[in-house]
Amino acid sequence: MKKPVLNLSFIFLFIGLMVNGMGQSVLFSILAPLSRTIGFMDSGVGIIISCSAAVLVVFSLLWGRIIDRVNIKYVFIFGLISFGIGSLLFAYVLDLGQKRRHFPRNRFTFANSR
């Protein structure tokens, strides 16, 4: 019986997905305190997380069909790159908010606005 061989691409994908999961865990643990520093209410953060979960549910069907047509490695790589770009954009927008260069206040999403 042949021994399964771990190739380099599998190792990189495994490490990338593991780092992705760790990044999400850290993000969810610090998201509420960080959002308060820019004046965002906790309910606004909850709405954002709920909307992203709903989008994930809807588009999981599409991703399943894409995975059936394309090699799964390419889909994982695309997902990891997209996650990296999204994380960089999130960090940039958060930095703008902490420097008080954010968008105009909206009474539904920002605290202390009247």
Side-chain angles (χ1 to χ4, degrees):
M1 187 176 243
K2 283 186 176 181
K3 265 178 122 176
V5 178
L6 292 177
N7 57 11
L8 194 59
S9 62
F10 174 77
I11 292 171
F12 280 126
L13 284 175
F14 178 76
I15 290 172
L17 291 172
M18 190 171 63
V19 169
N20 182 4
M22 290 170 23
Q24 288 287 42
S25 297
V26 169
L27 176 67
F28 283 137
S29 65
I30 65 170
L31 189 59
L34 281 178
S35 64
R36 285 187 214 113
T37 65
I38 63 172
F40 212 66
M41 293 188 330
D42 290 341
S43 61
V45 174
I47 290 171
I48 290 172
I49 292 173
S50 298
C51 288
S52 67
V55 168
L56 182 65
V57 166
V58 170
F59 280 97
S60 64
L61 298 172
L62 176 67
W63 280 112
R65 290 185 183 180
I66 291 173
I67 287 174
D68 288 341
R69 291 186 200 156
V70 181
N71 189 346
I72 194 168
K73 291 179 194 176
Y74 299 126
V75 176
F76 279 147
I77 290 170
F78 176 77
L80 288 173
I81 290 171
S82 300
F83 177 76
I85 291 170
S87 297
L88 289 174
L89 287 173
F90 172 75
Y92 176 71
V93 169
L94 184 63
D95 185 52
L96 288 179
Q98 287 181 331
K99 291 178 181 175
R100 302 291 182 222
R101 292 187 210 147
H102 48 76
F103 301 104
R105 290 184 180 257
N106 180 335
R107 67 179 171 190
F108 297 112
T109 56
F110 287 94
N112 301 326
S113 63
R114 300 193 186 249

